[in-house]
Amino acid sequence: MDVEAAKMIGAGLSVIGLFGVGMGIGNIFSSLISSVARNPAARSQVFGIAILGFALVEAVALYALLIAFLILFA
């Protein structure tokens, strides 16, 4: 197997984690919308927790992309 082909396969495998990130972000915001719809007075409490969860999940996406770029270009 050629080294370039192995790099492409490795980068593709490392980006599989982005599938879970997309599902996680969708889950966070769907839960936020349903909780605010049920209790609009709790929006200020729930919104901060949702943004924190979004930031943590987005960090996983950045790490997956970083690994993919390291595999491709290093």
Side-chain angles (χ1 to χ4, degrees):
M1 177 181 283
D2 189 19
V3 175
E4 285 297 318
K7 282 185 177 183
M8 296 292 179
I9 291 171
L13 289 175
S14 68
V15 175
I16 290 175
L18 295 178
F19 177 73
V21 170
M23 288 178 42
I25 290 173
N27 191 9
I28 287 170
F29 285 113
S30 70
S31 298
L32 174 68
I33 290 169
S34 66
S35 65
V36 170
R38 289 182 184 183
N39 188 4
R43 182 191 182 278
S44 62
Q45 296 172 346
V46 176
F47 187 74
I49 295 170
I51 294 300
L52 177 66
F54 171 74
L56 294 174
V57 171
E58 193 67 27
V60 173
L62 292 176
Y63 289 139
L65 285 174
L66 175 75
I67 295 300
F69 286 146
L70 282 174
I71 290 172
L72 283 177
F73 299 116

